[in-house]
Every structure is written in structure tokens, then in C-alpha cells.
Amino acid sequence: MKEANETGKVVSLSQRQESAERVGDLLGAVRAIAGRRLQLLLGNMFEHVDDALFDLAEKAENNAAQMHYFDGMREVRKRRPLVERSFLAQVSRELTGLSGRAASASAAPPSPGPVELSLVAENELEESLAITSMTAKNESRLARDLFAVNQRLSVICGGIKIDEANNPVAPAALSQAFRQAMRELTAEMRVKLIIYKLFDRYVLSALEELYQEINTELVRAGVLPQLRHEVVRGEASSADTTSGTAAGAEDAAPELDPEAALASELLHTVRALFSTRRQAVAGAVGGAGMQGPPAAVPTANELLGALSVLQSQLASGPMPSEQSADPAALGREVVQLKEHLLGQLGALRGERPSQVSAIDEDTIDLVGMLFEFILEDNTLPAIMQVMLSRLQIPYLKAAILDRRLFAHRQHPARRLLDGLAELAKGWSEESDRDHRVHDKIKSVVERLLHEFDDDMSLFERLGAELQAFQEQSRKRAELAEQRVAESARGREKLELARRRAAREILDRIGSQSLPPLIHGVLARAWANHLVLTILRQGEDSPAFAEALRFVNEFIASARPVHTTDDRRTLLRMLPAIERALRRGLANVAFQENDIERLLGQLHTYYRQQLGELAPDTSAEDTVLPIPESIQPILDTDLVEPEPEPGQATAAMDSSELEQVEQLKPGTWLEFCPTGDAVTRAKLSWISPMSGRYLFVNRRGLKVGDYAPQELAAALAAGSARILSSQPLFDRAMGAIVDRLSQAAAAGTDPAA
């Protein structure tokens, strides 16, 4: 018996050798399939890199950026063979090493995540985020085929657990292998990020055929031939499967709409960062932090029911005012909604759940961070921040009901919030004295609180009503804006005409000292005639040229008469001077008797010039018969001074002036000239004549106008600031990614 028992415990060396050979043969087949297909896919990708970089170089915003892309093209052409060899060699090594992992697997568990988000360097973080995004997206999309490959590799490797984190042909491992290979390139990070996008498009997006061929080969060899190609709802929870399904739906349109592709990619990045955060939290508490019994995880219907109770409590309370609302308290309420929700779930089901599913937790956190951003966003007036912050629960319900809310820019709920924020951005008590805007925003908020249950069409109906309101307000404001712009345009034309008239007369007078009578006629009556001629007939008209000839002759008529020729010249000029004066004075609304009185004074002056009358010193004090409405124009301050040396150059170097030059009509600014009186105004019109910037309030009424240098000085001093024109949702998502990325790089929890 003893011999029999001992014999039963003996393992045949030939059997072990045969098993090892079989494992080697099967892994060799997988390695050959992977090497062949990945080489083709990578080659196809590099064929498109040249075209992509060339197109970007053609569209580059400046020569420096263009040279970066051209340098990247040269570097890729030179180093491509090294990158390809490095990538394929690393994948081959990882596949070869699978059979030797059994011993180490029990001693050291696999890394919880494929992405190195603990790096602090900005370029490294950008690279990690790019890989995180494309890994998460493709793991969701390829879940069925990848699950089968994982299971079959686990079997042939003696039961070692193979999953997305340690499978050498999974998106995560391939992305990391490519990242290592990309270290052969010394190109700029912007060029590398373009190559990563192409790797996603031409390699990772084409992995289905690779997985299908591997599965077919292993099934032919008898490895799990009856395995069903579906993800088991075990450690990868139903929430993750739901997330993958939603992600697949979101990825359907990227090629058709670049904006949708950008929004979808941003959402994938957020999900990956949330996943990394969960793994870090789970690791910190020994992997048990969020993993409760499946029965404790609330369903979507339970979440919606608990949120409806909280919503009704909020709706029944009074609307807080800006004065009564404590921003810090509101911020705490936003952050603590998850705790309130778990408490309400406990009250409804009799026991408080310890956690929610991963996808619901991400949704709750994402909506919470969105409304935290709203409370911190200084683009919105404080009272509007308070009102919009009350929408957190309705928007959380909407996000649970429809996961596309954060991925689709045209989602009705997203467009409604963007519309409310855009309307609120230009609000001020001064421009909304009838409370139309305030009451409209308040009405939308209250209707969502009171009426929204699970009917997503409510967002579309409210959005249509808000759009109609904005269109009506816009039309009213446009009429006022047109009047303000026309008035400003008219004043500028008048000012420019006055400057031109003054400059023409002063240039002709030069250093001469004219008698008060001649100077008075030119400075007031004739200068106004020049102004009207410019405005009515233009500076290039014959009438304006004729009026300037009169100025030359009128000044010449004041020269002293010493000789007979001087006398003949003056006598020849006088009839034309009188005719021109009669026409010009009538043009500026002189009365007939005033014209005759002025001509009489001139006759007396010219007779004195000709020696026919003795000079009368009292004539200098004679009051000209010029109506008071005819204001003097010949003031030196109307002539633009020459800029001081270096002044214009210094101004052009100002970054604030560059900001001003890039402003477009429709941009909102906030002005706080006294430190406490805040005014919000929209850039309505930029003068093509003077370059001045005209600002109006939401009703289209003028708030102020500034020269470019004045506006740049206000921006530099902090008494003015430009409000972002980017939609609220886009700003919020960008801020959330930055916050999560910084927390991941620092190894901290952004919610802390």
C-alpha cells in the first residue's frame, strides 16, 4: 500500500516536459499572430503620421509651430525603424515571459493600474493622460473578445490570472509598450501626442481581428472551446459593464463630429482618472474600501427615488438670496450630497448602504465637481451662482437617467445649463431693473426642481423657452445697440472732421500772426463750413478743395500792402472772397443780417489795408457777428500730438494690449474702476476710424468706450477683466480634468 501511495504521488517528468512544450507551442503561436498583425498595424499607422504632421504644419498658427511639425516629420522618418523594433520586441518578450509568471504571481500581485499617473512632470502627465484615455476607451469597446483571450491565456499558463492589466496584447500593455518605444524619439510632446492619437486610431481600434485570430487558434488547439464570449459580472461589476456599453454608444460619432470626439475623449479621461483614484483609495485601505456585498449596492431606481425625496425637500424651501446665502455653506452642501443620498437610501430601505456602484459613484462625483465649479466660477455673478447651484439634484438625476449628458455637447440638459449661464453672465441689477432676466432664470430653476422626475424632454422644452426668451431680448438689445453705435459713429465722424479742418487751417497759417478778424472767421465760421463739407460731400470732393483754396486766399488777403502790385492783387481777390464767404456762411446757418455785418467789418479792414481809411485800433476789439452756436474749432488740442519716442513700441509689447487686439464683438468684460462698483458690459462695436471699443449692457445701453491703450491699462491694473466666452460645461470639464490630474500626480484625493 505504501509503495502504491508513493507511486501515486510521483509526477512523470515526461508529462511535465510535454506540458511545458505544449505551453511553449501555444504561446509561440500567439506570439507569431501578434507579431504579424501588430507589425502590419504599426506600419499602417506610420504611413499616416507623415500626412498628419504635414497637414498640421500647413495649418500652423506661426512659423515656429510649423517648424516643430516639420522637425517631427524628419525625426519620425529617421527613428521609425527603431520605434517599430522596440515595440514589437517588448510585446514578444512579454508574451514569452507569461509561462514563467506562475511563481512570481503568488508572491507579488499584479499592478493595480497600467498608467503611471504619479509622475509630476507636465509632459509625462500629458503622455499618461493620453494613454489613460485611449486605454479605457478600447478596453470597454473590446471587452468581449479580450475577456476570452484573458481566460484562454490563463488556462495555458497554468492558472495564472491574466487580465487587462497584465495581458501583453491588451490595450493597456500595448500602449505602455508603445510608450517605451516612443522614448526613441526626441520630438516635442505636441508631436508625440499626435502620434499617440494615430496609434489609437490605427492600432488599438483594429485589435478585434487580432483577438479573434488568437481565440480561433486557441480554440482549434482545444483551449476552452465552449467559453462564452461575455464579461462575467464578478470583480468587474455591472456598473463597469454599463460604463462600457455607454462608452460604446458615445464612441459611435467621433469621426462625424470633431467636437463630439473631443467631448467623448475628455469624458474617457475623466473616467480613467476616477478609476485610478478608486484604485488608490482601495489600495490605501487594503483593497476593501468600496467593495461591499453586491446586495448593498443601490439600484438606479433606488438612487432616483432617494434623489426625488431630497429634491422635493429642496423645492419646498425658500430660494436663498445673495445676501442670505453663505457660499461656504453652499459649497459644503454640494460636496456632502453623496452622504445625504446614502442617508436617504438608508431611510427608504431600512439599512444604509456602504457604497454605490462605481459608475454611479463617478456620476455623483462628476456632477458634484460640476456644481462646485459653478460656485467658484467668477464668470457668473454671485446671485446667479446661488440660483444655479440649486440644480445639482435634478442634474444628478438626469446624468443617472442618461449617461450621454457629459459626452454629448448637444445634450438638451447640457445646452440648457450653458444657456442659463450665458444669460446670467451679463446680468446686473442696473441692466435688469425690470427683473426680466432674474425672474426667467429663477423660473427655469424652480420648474426643474418642482417638475423634473424622469421626463428628460422637460430639459428640451425649457431650453426652447429659454432660447425664445434670449432671442427676444437679443432683438430688443440690438435695436438699442444700433442706436448707440450710430451715435458713436456720428460723433467720431464729427470729431475726425473737426480735427481735419483744424489741421488744414493751422497748417496753412503756420507761424503767421493773423489779425483777430481774419483768425476769428477761420477759427469759427469757416472751420465749421469745412466740417460740414467733409461730412456731407467728403474730403475728396471738389467742394472741399474749393473751401481750402478760400483759406489760402483769405490768409493771403491779410498780408500788408506795400506796392502797387500788392494793391492790384488784393483788389482782384476781394470779389471772390466775398462770394465764397456768402456761400460758406449760409452753409453754417448764418442769418442774412449777421452775414452783412461781418462783411461790413471785412470791408472796413480791407479799406484800411488799401490805405483808404486810417487804421482804427478799436477794430481789434470789435465783436464778430457770429452766432454762439458756431463754436470755435481751431484749437491746438484737436490736432493729434506726435507720440513720444518709444511710447508706441512699449505699448505694442504689452501682453494686455495683445489681449485687447484679440477681443471680438460679443465678448463680455467686468469693470470695477472704483474697487467696489462692478459693471458687466459687452463689447458691441470697434470703431474702424479711431479704434475705440464701445461697451453696452445687456439691454444694449452704452456703458463706456475706451481707446485700446486705456483698456489695456485697465486690464493690467485689474480694474477690468475679460469673462470667458467658452460654454460653462466645457469650462467645468476642463477644470475637473485639471483638478483630477493634479491630484493624481500628487497622489492625493481631489475630494479631500
Side-chain angles (χ1 to χ4, degrees):
M1 286 291 294
K2 184 176 180 182
E3 290 179 2
N5 289 339
E6 287 177 354
T7 304
K9 293 179 181 179
V10 174
V11 178
S12 170
L13 292 177
S14 62
Q15 289 177 357
R16 180 178 292 179
Q17 185 175 0
E18 289 174 5
S19 175
E21 289 176 356
R22 175 174 167 75
V23 170
D25 290 343
L26 291 174
L27 285 178
V30 171
R31 187 168 57 247
I33 293 169
R36 185 182 73 257
R37 283 201 173 271
L38 290 174
Q39 186 173 20
L40 290 173
L41 294 175
L42 201 63
N44 183 40
M45 181 208 78
F46 273 114
E47 292 302 321
H48 288 84
V49 169
D50 228 33
D51 293 338
L53 292 177
F54 186 80
D55 289 343
L56 288 168
E58 282 193 323
K59 300 172 184 175
E61 63 274 14
N62 52 52
N63 289 336
Q66 189 176 60
M67 288 307 301
H68 288 314
Y69 290 124
F70 282 135
D71 290 343
M73 289 169 61
R74 285 190 290 270
E75 177 72 7
V76 169
R77 289 172 184 171
K78 183 171 67 175
R79 313 288 288 184
R80 170 182 170 178
L82 286 175
V83 175
E84 289 182 332
R85 282 199 300 271
S86 174
F87 172 72
L88 294 171
Q90 185 166 340
V91 174
S92 179
R93 282 195 303 272
E94 291 294 324
L95 283 168
T96 302
L98 273 182
S99 59
R101 292 185 183 178
S104 60
S106 58
S111 171
V115 182
E116 304 167 10
L117 286 175
S118 60
L119 297 173
V120 177
E122 184 178 351
N123 283 348
E124 292 286 337
L125 184 57
E126 286 186 32
E127 199 172 20
S128 295
L129 288 175
I131 291 174
T132 302
S133 175
M134 61 188 185
T135 299
K137 176 175 65 176
N138 286 287
E139 281 181 351
S140 297
R141 184 177 59 82
L142 299 165
R144 294 177 68 242
D145 291 329
L146 183 56
F147 171 76
V149 173
N150 291 338
Q151 296 302 308
R152 291 190 169 100
L153 287 178
S154 296
V155 169
I156 65 175
C157 290
I160 302 172
K161 182 181 178 182
I162 304 295
D163 57 20
E164 289 82 356
N166 62 3
N167 182 345
V169 292
L174 292 176
S175 298
Q176 287 299 330
F178 188 65
R179 181 181 190 175
Q180 288 298 117
M182 285 283 284
R183 299 194 190 284
E184 299 288 346
L185 289 181
T186 58
E188 274 203 343
M189 182 51 64
R190 73 170 81 180
V191 173
K192 287 189 175 183
L193 291 177
I194 297 301
I195 298 174
Y196 280 128
K197 287 184 180 295
L198 295 175
F199 181 78
D200 181 17
R201 179 178 298 177
Y202 293 105
V203 179
L204 297 185
S205 294
L207 290 178
E208 291 100 332
E209 293 183 1
L210 169 62
Y211 296 160
Q212 288 166 9
E213 186 173 351
I214 290 174
N215 281 318
T216 300
E217 178 64 22
L218 294 179
V219 167
R220 188 182 62 78
V223 181
L224 297 180
Q226 303 302 320
L227 179 67
R228 294 178 60 193
H229 291 191
E230 61 182 33
V231 178
V232 178
R233 295 166 71 106
E235 292 181 20
S237 68
S238 60
D240 295 327
T241 306
T242 306
S243 173
T245 305
E250 289 154 9
D251 292 336
E255 292 299 326
L256 301 178
D257 183 359
E259 288 193 353
L262 184 61
S264 180
E265 183 176 344
L266 193 63
L267 182 60
H268 283 305
T269 301
V270 171
R271 283 179 176 155
L273 289 168
F274 274 137
S275 176
T276 302
R277 183 182 67 170
R278 275 198 306 277
Q279 291 169 358
V281 172
V285 296
M290 295 302 294
Q291 298 298 326
V297 177
T299 65
N301 285 335
E302 286 181 301
L303 285 174
L304 293 171
L307 286 169
S308 294
V309 174
L310 295 176
Q311 181 178 326
S312 65
Q313 294 171 356
L314 181 64
S316 61
M319 174 79 77
S321 64
E322 179 187 359
Q323 293 75 21
S324 64
D326 178 8
L330 286 173
R332 286 193 296 273
E333 287 181 16
V334 166
V335 173
Q336 294 169 358
L337 178 60
K338 190 192 300 184
E339 285 301 310
H340 296 326
L341 178 57
L342 290 173
Q344 186 60 51
L345 282 165
L348 291 174
R349 58 157 48 177
E351 60 173 350
R352 178 188 170 100
S354 58
Q355 77 284 319
V356 295
S357 67
I359 186 68
D360 290 328
E361 183 185 14
D362 289 353
T363 302
I364 294 169
D365 289 346
L366 189 52
V367 173
M369 295 176 82
L370 166 66
F371 281 87
E372 280 185 80
F373 176 84
I374 288 175
L375 283 172
E376 297 167 359
D377 182 22
N378 57 14
T379 300
L380 297 172
I383 191 170
M384 295 298 166
Q385 290 176 323
V386 171
M387 272 203 285
L388 294 183
S389 69
R390 291 165 60 83
L391 293 176
Q392 183 183 6
I393 293 177
Y395 269 81
L396 178 51
K397 288 172 66 176
I400 292 173
L401 285 165
D402 187 352
R403 306 289 184 188
R404 296 172 300 172
L405 190 153
F406 283 96
H408 290 183
R409 285 185 169 180
Q410 297 305 312
H411 192 284
R414 182 165 176 163
R415 291 175 60 189
L416 176 62
L417 190 58
D418 282 341
L420 287 169
E422 183 62 26
L423 184 60
K425 180 168 65 176
W427 179 89
S428 67
E429 291 187 7
E430 178 64 26
S431 66
D432 192 35
R433 291 182 178 178
D434 55 2
H435 301 291
R436 291 183 72 254
V437 173
H438 178 280
D439 291 348
K440 184 61 182 177
I441 295 175
K442 181 180 178 182
S443 168
V444 172
V445 171
E446 289 185 336
R447 284 188 62 185
L448 277 173
L449 283 173
H450 286 89
E451 299 177 21
F452 179 60
D453 186 19
D454 57 4
D455 180 11
M456 294 295 291
S457 65
L458 178 61
F459 289 98
E460 197 160 356
R461 294 197 301 274
L462 290 175
E465 291 178 17
L466 185 68
Q467 188 174 1
F469 175 85
Q470 289 175 302
E471 186 66 18
Q472 187 181 31
S473 300
R474 183 186 62 79
K475 287 180 179 178
R476 276 201 302 267
E478 278 183 354
L479 292 174
E481 281 187 56
Q482 288 173 5
R483 288 194 290 267
V484 170
E486 286 298 326
S487 175
R489 191 177 290 110
R491 284 195 304 273
E492 287 212 340
K493 285 183 177 179
L494 176 60
E495 182 70 11
L496 290 175
R498 287 164 60 89
R499 288 181 182 275
R500 175 67 187 273
R503 187 168 60 248
E504 292 289 354
I505 293 174
L506 286 173
D507 287 348
R508 284 163 172 75
I509 293 175
S511 59
Q512 300 177 62
S513 178
L514 295 178
L517 177 62
I518 302 297
H519 187 277
V521 171
L522 288 175
R524 294 182 64 184
W526 201 256
N528 277 278
H529 171 61
L530 285 176
V531 169
L532 288 178
T533 304
I534 291 172
L535 293 176
R536 292 173 180 172
Q537 301 180 57
E539 299 179 14
D540 299 327
S541 64
F544 185 63
E546 182 65 30
L548 291 179
R549 277 196 293 273
F550 169 82
V551 175
N552 293 331
E553 293 181 359
F554 200 46
I555 292 172
S557 71
R559 294 172 187 155
V561 176
H562 297 297
T563 65
T564 303
D565 287 342
D566 293 341
R567 179 183 176 86
R568 277 200 298 268
T569 300
L570 179 57
L571 287 172
R572 188 170 61 251
M573 292 167 57
L574 289 179
I577 289 175
E578 181 174 346
R579 286 194 302 273
L581 265 176
R582 286 186 180 277
R583 288 195 303 270
L585 296 177
N587 186 40
V588 291
F590 263 67
Q591 298 295 323
E592 186 64 32
N593 56 340
D594 290 333
I595 293 176
E596 294 300 329
R597 285 177 58 199
L598 181 57
L599 289 176
Q601 291 178 9
L602 285 171
H603 287 160
T604 301
Y605 168 75
Y606 286 127
R607 290 180 67 188
Q608 292 170 356
Q609 284 283 86
L610 293 168
E612 297 175 3
L613 288 177
D616 184 1
T617 55
S618 64
E620 295 183 0
D621 300 326
T622 302
V623 177
L624 295 178
I626 298 178
E628 292 183 1
S629 60
I630 309 297
Q631 297 297 317
I633 290 178
L634 212 59
D635 296 331
T636 55
D637 62 340
L638 284 174
V639 181
E640 297 177 3
E642 292 292 327
E644 296 180 8
Q647 181 179 2
T649 304
M652 287 306 293
D653 291 339
S654 165
S655 61
E656 285 80 13
L657 189 57
E658 290 180 8
Q659 285 182 277
V660 170
E661 290 171 347
Q662 292 171 5
L663 289 178
K664 299 290 187 294
T667 304
W668 284 87
L669 275 76
E670 184 178 80
F671 295 94
C672 188
T674 62
D676 53 0
V678 176
T679 303
R680 291 182 173 231
K682 182 182 72 173
L683 175 58
S684 174
W685 177 68
I686 303 174
S687 169
M689 294 178 284
S690 67
R692 293 185 72 85
Y693 289 67
L694 175 68
F695 290 90
V696 299
N697 62 18
R698 183 162 286 283
R699 295 166 60 195
L701 303 180
K702 180 180 175 181
V703 171
D705 67 292
Y706 300 85
Q709 292 78 7
E710 294 173 333
L711 194 54
L715 290 173
S719 58
R721 66 182 183 90
I722 301 169
L723 302 180
S724 174
S725 57
Q726 191 180 21
L728 171 68
F729 236 100
D730 288 351
R731 293 201 311 275
M733 290 296 285
I736 289 168
V737 169
D738 289 344
R739 179 178 168 186
L740 289 169
S741 302
Q742 290 167 9
T748 60
D749 185 354

